[in-house]
Amino acid sequence: MSTLVKAMSNFRLAVVQLDVTSVKADNLRRARRLVTEAAGRGSKVVLLPECFNSPYGPSFFSAYAERIPGESTQMLSEAAKENKVFLVGGSIPEEDGGKLYNTCSVFGPDGGLILKHRKIHLFDIDVPGKIRFQESETLSPGNSLSMFETPFCKVGVGICYDMRFAELAQLYSRKGCQLLVYPGAFNMTTGPAHWELLQRGRAVDNQVYVATASPARDESASYVAWGHSTVVNPWGEVVSKAGPEEAVIYADIDLQYLADIRQQIPITTQRRDDLYTVTSVQEGSS
């Protein structure tokens, strides 16, 4: 393998687990600083958490919502360009046409907007005695898949609850994605039960890397995030994991290792497409 090919098959991913406060300017300033820190340690792709610019919850979405472009995405664009990284901007509450969305913006090393992913599956759950949450009371769902190319690999984007839907990850894998990223804010009920389990499942099912970015845990918040941002490899192993506090974690993504796994257990060529299939109704941005 040539030195160039080898270099392009390996890259460093950074996941920022941000301590999100009620002060948007502080959130943006700290996020920018941690992106710079991550780039300084050789990261080529940096992932921020869900609702990185605001507290998470229906009572906050309208107050913190922005149009795109806006204050938060301007910071993301500048941080990506200054540090020459692909920056997956977690998510922010987006206002567009009188509707609110939970939106992830991705920026390239030139500072240009590559895509917007609006959360497809809204977080509407009711676990008696533990948690009830209804994103659909204030948010509208997105309607497309979201993928982007890097010099290293193709990346599929989901937000939090999107990770529970195996079909989305399957489609991303079939469309050539080797890394799936999910900014997410699981809570103290669903976090310990399903956060890591779902990531490992998506990784093993599709033989891809999976990365999740959570806000840091704030016990005083109205919605307490689980934290524990994680990176899982195609064998289903956790290769990097944060605790509950603010942190930046790193993982060296090895695409040759991914290729080896797919050769050793060749499920991509063993599927029975004559018996079953998963297809997309609408093509997404890529």
Side-chain angles (χ1 to χ4, degrees):
M1 183 183 295
S2 71
T3 302
L4 177 61
V5 171
K6 186 175 181 180
M8 297 301 278
S9 68
N10 292 268
F11 68 96
R12 176 160 287 187
L13 168 71
V15 179
V16 176
Q17 182 165 287
L18 185 70
D19 185 8
V20 178
T21 73
S22 60
V23 182
K24 182 187 287 189
D26 288 348
N27 298 330
L28 298 183
R29 182 167 56 250
R30 273 203 324 286
R32 187 170 192 158
R33 175 177 59 80
L34 292 174
V35 170
T36 300
E37 177 184 310
R41 294 187 59 177
S43 304
K44 301 301 182 184
V45 179
V46 181
L47 173 61
L48 293 176
E50 182 178 23
C51 281
F52 81 91
N53 73 340
S54 72
Y56 179 71
S59 63
F60 301 106
F61 294 144
S62 179
Y64 286 81
E66 303 176 14
R67 296 187 66 81
I68 296 176
E71 177 185 6
S72 297
T73 50
Q74 179 64 29
M75 182 281 289
L76 294 173
S77 171
E78 292 171 358
K81 186 174 183 179
E82 288 166 2
N83 295 288
K84 297 180 173 57
V85 297
F86 288 89
L87 181 53
V88 182
S91 79
I92 66 169
E94 177 199 7
E95 189 279 320
D96 184 31
K99 293 183 178 181
L100 298 178
Y101 302 91
N102 189 343
T103 301
C104 175
S105 302
V106 179
F107 291 86
D110 62 355
L113 177 65
I114 296 175
L115 64 78
K116 290 195 309 182
H117 175 77
R118 289 171 170 168
K119 190 174 188 176
I120 298 171
H121 305 93
L122 297 183
F123 183 48
D124 287 1
I125 68 166
D126 189 353
V127 182
K130 293 186 177 180
I131 183 170
R132 181 183 184 277
F133 200 96
Q134 301 289 309
E135 270 191 330
S136 64
E137 291 178 351
T138 50
L139 298 179
S140 296
N143 293 306
S144 66
L145 311 184
S146 302
M147 297 159 280
F148 66 97
E149 297 277 3
T150 74
F152 315 104
C153 69
K154 194 172 187 177
V155 182
V157 182
I159 299 175
C160 199
Y161 204 53
D162 287 340
M163 184 167 61
R164 287 190 179 270
F165 296 85
E167 298 88 346
L168 179 62
Q170 290 168 26
L171 286 168
Y172 281 155
S173 177
R174 288 195 174 203
K175 291 176 181 293
C177 295
Q178 294 175 300
L179 169 64
L180 307 184
V181 293
Y182 296 96
F186 275 38
N187 53 68
M188 300 299 288
T189 297
T190 60
H194 301 146
W195 178 245
E196 183 179 307
L197 175 66
L198 285 166
Q199 295 171 65
R200 296 181 69 187
R202 297 296 84 84
V204 170
D205 285 348
N206 301 288
Q207 298 177 318
V208 295
Y209 283 91
V210 173
T212 56
S214 170
R217 189 181 306 171
D218 177 2
E219 299 283 359
S220 66
S222 57
Y223 180 96
V224 182
W226 173 238
H228 297 291
S229 300
T230 305
V231 183
V232 179
N233 71 16
W235 193 253
E237 298 170 320
V238 173
V239 295
S240 189
K241 186 175 183 178
E245 69 283 341
E246 183 171 275
V248 182
I249 62 170
Y250 299 89
D252 292 320
I253 305 301
D254 184 345
L255 299 174
Q256 183 57 53
Y257 173 74
L258 182 150
D260 291 344
I261 294 297
R262 291 184 173 184
Q263 183 176 35
Q264 294 161 13
I265 305 178
I267 59 173
T268 56
T269 60
Q270 294 171 330
R271 291 192 183 97
R272 289 291 304 274
D273 290 329
D274 59 320
L275 296 178
Y276 54 81
T277 187
V278 176
T279 60
S280 57
V281 176
Q282 292 191 31
E283 290 299 312
S285 53
S286 59

